[in-house]
Amino acid sequence: MLWWLFFMLPVSQISCELWCYSCVSSQPGCEEFYIDWRIHHAITCPREDDKCVKIIERKGVDKFITRDCLSNLEGQKKDIPADRYDGCRKAAEQPKLAVYVENHITQLEIKNQYWNEVTYCFCEFDQWCNHGNFLYCNKCILILITVFVLSTMINNFI
Protein backbone atom coordinates (compact mmCIF):
# COMPACT_ATOMS: atom_id res chain seq x y z
CA MET A 1 0.00 0.00 0.00
CA LEU A 2 2.80 2.44 0.77
CA TRP A 3 4.87 1.60 -2.32
CA TRP A 4 4.34 5.12 -3.72
CA LEU A 5 6.48 6.54 -0.88
CA PHE A 6 9.56 4.97 -2.48
CA PHE A 7 8.95 7.07 -5.60
CA MET A 8 8.39 10.29 -3.64
CA LEU A 9 11.48 10.09 -1.39
CA PRO A 10 14.06 10.74 -4.15
CA VAL A 11 11.99 13.65 -5.49
CA SER A 12 12.08 15.44 -2.13
CA GLN A 13 15.88 15.14 -1.89
CA ILE A 14 16.82 16.39 -5.36
CA SER A 15 18.07 19.84 -4.39
CA CYS A 16 18.02 22.28 -1.51
CA GLU A 17 18.94 25.31 -3.60
CA LEU A 18 16.52 27.89 -4.88
CA TRP A 19 15.61 27.50 -8.56
CA CYS A 20 15.05 30.64 -10.62
CA TYR A 21 14.46 31.43 -14.25
CA SER A 22 17.28 33.27 -16.01
CA CYS A 23 16.39 35.19 -19.17
CA VAL A 24 15.91 38.64 -20.68
CA SER A 25 12.97 39.87 -22.72
CA SER A 26 15.01 40.11 -25.91
CA GLN A 27 14.99 36.29 -25.94
CA PRO A 28 11.88 34.51 -27.24
CA GLY A 29 9.55 33.15 -24.58
CA CYS A 30 10.61 35.60 -21.86
CA GLU A 31 7.91 38.22 -21.32
CA GLU A 32 6.57 40.13 -18.34
CA PHE A 33 3.66 37.81 -17.53
CA TYR A 34 4.70 34.69 -19.42
CA ILE A 35 7.81 32.55 -19.59
CA ASP A 36 8.15 29.50 -21.81
CA TRP A 37 9.58 26.82 -19.51
CA ARG A 38 10.49 24.65 -22.52
CA ILE A 39 13.03 27.24 -23.68
CA HIS A 40 14.21 28.78 -20.40
CA HIS A 41 15.17 26.13 -17.89
CA ALA A 42 15.67 26.91 -14.23
CA ILE A 43 19.10 27.61 -12.78
CA THR A 44 20.09 26.98 -9.19
CA CYS A 45 21.19 30.05 -7.30
CA PRO A 46 24.77 29.84 -5.98
CA ARG A 47 24.23 31.26 -2.48
CA GLU A 48 22.18 29.86 0.39
CA ASP A 49 20.46 33.19 1.12
CA ASP A 50 19.77 34.00 -2.53
CA LYS A 51 16.55 35.36 -4.00
CA CYS A 52 14.93 35.23 -7.42
CA VAL A 53 14.64 38.62 -9.08
CA LYS A 54 12.54 40.01 -11.90
CA ILE A 55 13.57 43.49 -13.07
CA ILE A 56 11.08 45.53 -15.10
CA GLU A 57 12.64 48.55 -16.83
CA ARG A 58 10.29 50.97 -18.65
CA LYS A 59 10.54 54.12 -20.73
CA GLY A 60 7.23 55.04 -22.34
CA VAL A 61 6.07 51.96 -24.21
CA ASP A 62 9.52 50.35 -24.26
CA LYS A 63 9.90 47.60 -21.68
CA PHE A 64 12.81 45.32 -20.80
CA ILE A 65 12.46 42.35 -18.43
CA THR A 66 15.36 40.57 -16.72
CA ARG A 67 15.00 37.41 -14.61
CA ASP A 68 17.88 35.93 -12.61
CA CYS A 69 19.28 35.18 -9.15
CA LEU A 70 20.12 38.19 -7.00
CA SER A 71 23.74 37.07 -6.57
CA ASN A 72 24.21 37.06 -10.36
CA LEU A 73 22.89 40.63 -10.68
CA GLU A 74 24.66 42.30 -7.75
CA GLY A 75 27.87 42.90 -9.69
CA GLN A 76 26.07 44.42 -12.68
CA LYS A 77 23.25 46.50 -11.20
CA LYS A 78 24.00 49.44 -8.90
CA ASP A 79 20.39 50.43 -8.21
CA ILE A 80 19.21 47.33 -6.30
CA PRO A 81 16.96 48.42 -3.41
CA ALA A 82 18.14 47.84 0.14
CA ASP A 83 14.79 46.26 1.13
CA ARG A 84 14.94 42.85 -0.53
CA TYR A 85 12.02 41.13 1.13
CA ASP A 86 9.38 39.46 -1.07
CA GLY A 87 7.50 41.87 -3.28
CA CYS A 88 8.10 44.62 -5.83
CA ARG A 89 9.67 48.03 -5.22
CA LYS A 90 11.28 50.86 -7.14
CA ALA A 91 15.00 50.92 -7.83
CA ALA A 92 17.30 52.84 -5.50
CA GLU A 93 18.59 56.23 -6.58
CA GLN A 94 22.19 56.44 -7.77
CA PRO A 95 23.37 60.01 -7.09
CA LYS A 96 27.10 59.22 -7.26
CA LEU A 97 27.13 57.15 -10.44
CA ALA A 98 29.65 58.51 -13.02
CA VAL A 99 30.47 61.65 -11.01
CA TYR A 100 34.08 61.95 -12.23
CA VAL A 101 33.47 60.83 -15.81
CA GLU A 102 33.81 63.39 -18.62
CA ASN A 103 32.75 61.49 -21.71
CA HIS A 104 31.14 63.20 -24.70
CA ILE A 105 30.13 60.02 -26.57
CA THR A 106 26.34 60.12 -26.33
CA GLN A 107 25.87 56.45 -27.25
CA LEU A 108 27.52 55.28 -24.02
CA GLU A 109 25.10 54.95 -21.15
CA ILE A 110 27.42 56.06 -18.36
CA LYS A 111 24.88 57.47 -15.93
CA ASN A 112 22.18 54.83 -16.51
CA GLN A 113 19.45 57.39 -17.23
CA TYR A 114 17.68 55.71 -20.14
CA TRP A 115 14.89 53.99 -18.20
CA ASN A 116 12.28 56.20 -16.51
CA GLU A 117 10.89 53.52 -14.23
CA VAL A 118 12.80 50.51 -12.87
CA THR A 119 11.04 48.00 -10.62
CA TYR A 120 12.66 45.09 -8.77
CA CYS A 121 10.51 42.11 -7.75
CA PHE A 122 12.10 39.75 -5.20
CA CYS A 123 10.98 36.29 -4.06
CA GLU A 124 12.55 33.37 -2.23
CA PHE A 125 9.86 31.15 -0.74
CA ASP A 126 8.91 29.19 -3.85
CA GLN A 127 10.85 27.51 -6.65
CA TRP A 128 10.63 29.34 -10.00
CA CYS A 129 8.95 32.25 -8.26
CA ASN A 130 10.19 34.87 -10.77
CA HIS A 131 7.81 33.43 -13.37
CA GLY A 132 4.79 34.91 -15.09
CA ASN A 133 1.22 34.28 -13.93
CA PHE A 134 0.38 32.11 -16.95
CA LEU A 135 3.10 29.57 -16.15
CA TYR A 136 1.87 29.09 -12.58
CA CYS A 137 -1.58 28.07 -13.83
CA ASN A 138 -0.01 25.58 -16.25
CA LYS A 139 1.97 23.95 -13.43
CA CYS A 140 -1.13 23.66 -11.23
CA ILE A 141 -3.09 22.05 -14.04
CA LEU A 142 -0.21 19.67 -14.79
CA ILE A 143 0.04 18.61 -11.14
CA LEU A 144 -3.73 18.07 -10.89
CA ILE A 145 -3.77 15.96 -14.06
CA THR A 146 -0.82 13.90 -12.81
CA VAL A 147 -2.49 13.24 -9.45
CA PHE A 148 -5.74 12.29 -11.19
CA VAL A 149 -4.00 9.88 -13.58
CA LEU A 150 -1.97 8.28 -10.78
CA SER A 151 -5.02 7.83 -8.57
CA THR A 152 -6.93 6.27 -11.49
CA MET A 153 -4.05 3.88 -12.16
CA ILE A 154 -3.83 2.91 -8.48
CA ASN A 155 -7.60 2.27 -8.30
CA ASN A 156 -7.44 0.11 -11.45
CA PHE A 157 -4.42 -1.77 -10.11
CA ILE A 158 -6.13 -2.60 -6.80
Side-chain angles (χ1 to χ4, degrees), residues 3 147-158:
W3 57 270
V147 168
F148 177 74
V149 169
L150 286 175
S151 65
T152 306
M153 288 173 49
I154 290 172
N155 287 338
N156 290 339
F157 184 70
I158 296 175

Side-chain angles (χ1 to χ4, degrees), residues 133-145:
N133 295 333
F134 186 70
L135 178 67
Y136 182 72
C137 295
N138 283 346
K139 285 184 182 177
C140 291
I141 292 170
L142 183 66
I143 290 171
L144 287 173
I145 290 172

Side-chain angles (χ1 to χ4, degrees), residues 3 18 26-27 50 89 91 100 103 116-117 124 140 156:
W3 57 270
L18 181 65
S26 59
Q27 299 170 330
D50 228 336
R89 55 200 52 87
Y100 299 109
N103 197 332
N116 290 343
E117 180 185 346
E124 66 176 324
C140 291
N156 290 339

